[in-house]
Each structure stands twice: as C-alpha cells, then as structure tokens.
Amino acid sequence: MAMNDSVNILNSAYLAVEYIDSFLPDNPLQQPFKNAWNYMLDNYTKFQIATWGSLLVHEASYFLLCVPGFVFQFIPYMQKYKIQQDKPETWEKQWKCFKTLLFNHFFIQLPLICGTYYFTEYFNIPYEWEEMPRWYILLAQCFGCAVIEDAWHYFLHRLLHHKRIYKYIHKVHHEFVAPFGMQAEYAHPLETLILGTGFFIGIVVFCNHMVLLWAWVICRLMETIDVHSGYDVPLNPLHLVPFYAGARFHDFHHMNFIGNYASTFTWWDRIFGTDSQFIAYKEKEKKQQLLKKK
C-alpha cells in the first residue's frame, strides 16, 4: 500500500512538472546544443565521446569553476566574504596544489574515465539526442546522485578521519587549513579512489543517457569547488538547494579537522551529531555580532 502511494505521488509530481514545462518558453540554447550534440555523434566514435569527451568535460568544468574563487583573492571588496581572513592564499600553495591535481587527473582519474565507454556499452546507455531525458528528469537524477554520493562521502570520510589511518591518507587533503576552490580534488590517490567511488554509485543507479554522466560531473564539481572556495558569498544560487551545506560548513571542517563530514547536505551530520561544534561556533559568532552592533 505504501509503495503504491509513493508511486502515485511520484507520478503526480512528474505530470505536474511536465504540465508546467509545457507553458515555459522554448529554450533558445536548445537548438544550438542539439546541433552540437548531433555533430559530435556524426564525427566521433562512442569510445572517443565517452573517453576524451568525458575528460574534456571534467577538465574544462573543473578549472573554469575555479576561476571565480581564484580571482576573488585579487579583489579587495571580496575579502569581507573570505571565511578565514587571517589565512590568505599564496602562489606557493596554489602551484603545489595545481601540480598534484594534474597528477591525480591524468594518472588516477583518466584510467577510470577510460572505462566509461565499456560501462555505457555493458548497460546499453544511449547517446542519441532523441533518447536524451528532459531537463527536469536530468535535474532530478543529478539530485538523486548527490544524495547517494553524500551518504557514501559522510561515512567513508568520517572513517578516513580515524586516528589509526588519518595520517596515511586523508591528511594530504587537510594540508591546507584554509581551503581554496582548486584544492577540492587535492588528495592522496587512495582517497581519490575511495571517496570518488560515491560518484559512480548514482550513475549506476540512475544513468539512462550519456548526458547524465556529464551533467552529474558538472554538478558535483560545482558543489565541491564551492564548498572548498573559502568564500561565503551572498546570493549563491546553490544555497537554494534544500539542506545544502555550503562553504562555511565545510570550511569549519578544515579549520578544526573534525565534524561536518558530509559533502553536500547537512542531514547526516545532524542525525549523528557531528555538527554540534559547528552549531556552537555559529551561535558564538551571532553573539559576537550582536555585541558589536550594541
């Protein structure tokens, strides 16, 4: 009975969104995107698209999304939004981070990306434009991937903080007490594999088109670069996502090396009480702000 009710609710929600979508104006970017997608299919093999296309999407998205945070350090106005204002970025740290990133991207992640084609072939994942899911389905799938990845990240990340193994693996990521966007994937190769596994679980569950893989890559990078940015910028559209953790939440983890273990959402830390120190910290901040106003 409960299962039938859930199915009916989901069907109703789907029909409601589909009905609203019918009234929305045509997306002016849809036709150029369709033309580009079909051009790609006509001129490249599935292996080239799945492998080199995925690498290009990852690298371009990663470094383009890092640009705003990188530029902020040169804008005096933005410094009031920097969370740890006493720890500015340095060229030395950023260069070290960049070199490690290149190693991880091309010697750890690229071999994994090379398996994308075989994954799509094994599960008969389509590439054709006609079978591409609508925007709201794609959005819902990315959200589902984020929920799954967040659960995996919380428990495995918390395990990596165990005193017996922390110094061997996760300590590398905590080398920078004040994080910056490019540091999001700065990690020990084993951590890249362990925590990165959570990214693929949602793909296995939801993937019904090649475009989801790329959409989820962009969404995940957008989130992890944002929470590592070191800046709590107002009017951040990601704050509209329900239960979104954000930069201040994760920055506290880097400051204190404990608590706030989830990657995207706040519910696992709330359930297990691992956000208690963060809550106390926020309350203390509020009191200090009130005293300053008086």
Side-chain angles (χ1 to χ4, degrees):
M1 185 66 178
M3 180 64 74
N4 289 335
D5 290 342
S6 298
V7 171
N8 289 334
I9 291 170
L10 289 172
N11 286 336
S12 299
Y14 175 81
L15 291 172
V17 174
E18 196 173 45
Y19 179 72
I20 294 170
D21 181 55
S22 67
F23 288 97
L24 294 176
D26 292 337
N27 183 354
L29 297 177
Q30 181 170 333
Q31 191 59 45
F33 180 58
K34 179 181 179 180
N35 294 339
W37 189 272
N38 285 328
Y39 177 85
M40 177 184 70
L41 293 177
D42 292 338
N43 291 274
Y44 299 96
T45 66
K46 286 185 176 181
F47 178 82
Q48 290 172 326
I49 293 169
T51 306
W52 307 118
S54 297
L55 178 66
L56 180 62
V57 167
H58 180 270
E59 295 305 301
S61 300
Y62 192 91
F63 290 106
L64 283 174
L65 289 167
C66 285
V67 168
F70 178 77
V71 173
F72 287 166
Q73 66 183 307
F74 305 112
I75 304 175
Y77 177 80
M78 296 304 297
Q79 295 314 301
K80 64 182 179 180
Y81 300 122
K82 184 168 173 57
I83 300 167
Q84 298 187 55
Q85 296 187 7
D86 60 329
K87 296 182 178 67
E89 296 94 339
T90 66
W91 286 106
E92 182 184 2
K93 289 180 179 179
Q94 290 175 107
W95 176 241
K96 183 178 182 181
C97 178
F98 180 71
K99 289 187 293 183
T100 301
L101 278 178
L102 290 183
F103 175 83
N104 283 348
H105 285 183
F106 290 97
F107 291 94
I108 306 299
Q109 294 183 16
L110 179 56
L112 297 175
I113 290 173
C114 287
T116 305
Y117 167 75
Y118 302 100
F119 166 80
T120 59
E121 286 294 295
Y122 184 80
F123 288 101
N124 295 316
I125 305 299
Y127 289 61
E128 290 71 23
W129 173 265
E130 292 72 21
E131 297 187 56
M132 190 179 294
R134 298 298 298 273
W135 66 269
Y136 47 87
I137 298 296
L138 200 59
L139 194 64
Q141 289 172 327
C142 286
F143 184 79
C145 288
V147 170
I148 292 172
E149 190 281 333
D150 184 68
W152 176 271
H153 191 100
Y154 176 83
F155 293 104
L156 272 294
H157 182 197
R158 190 172 177 181
L159 178 63
L160 288 175
H161 271 272
H162 191 281
K163 60 183 180 181
R164 291 187 177 179
I165 59 175
Y166 171 78
K167 64 180 179 180
Y168 299 110
I169 301 175
H170 193 53
K171 186 178 179 180
V172 173
H173 184 67
H174 277 279
E175 183 176 335
F176 305 116
V177 177
F180 47 91
M182 192 168 57
Q183 190 231 338
E185 291 186 346
Y186 180 88
H188 189 285
L190 276 177
E191 178 173 341
T192 300
L193 294 173
I194 293 168
L195 296 184
T197 300
F199 171 88
F200 295 102
I201 298 174
I203 291 296
V204 172
V205 174
F206 294 109
C207 196
N208 59 353
H209 195 278
M210 182 63 199
V211 74
L212 174 63
L213 182 65
W214 291 355
W216 172 222
V217 166
I218 295 169
C219 287
R220 176 68 179 117
L221 291 179
M222 191 183 303
E223 176 275 325
T224 191
I225 290 169
D226 176 60
V227 301
H228 285 93
S229 68
Y231 290 84
D232 188 15
V233 181
L235 302 179
N236 184 338
L238 288 175
H239 291 164
L240 297 174
V241 178
F243 303 100
Y244 182 66
R248 191 168 290 275
F249 185 88
H250 192 70
D251 209 280
F252 182 84
H253 174 78
H254 277 265
M255 278 192 283
N256 298 275
F257 303 94
I258 192 170
N260 294 13
Y261 297 111
S263 59
T264 306
F265 305 107
T266 57
W267 51 59
W268 288 112
D269 285 286
R270 182 59 57 87
I271 290 169
F272 290 99
T274 46
D275 64 346
S276 57
Q277 291 188 29
F278 177 64
I279 292 171
Y281 173 76
K282 285 202 302 182
E283 290 176 353
K284 185 179 178 181
E285 270 192 335
K286 286 181 181 178
K287 289 178 181 178
Q288 289 175 342
Q289 289 172 359
L290 288 171
L291 288 172
K292 285 181 181 179
K293 288 180 180 179
K294 290 179 180 179

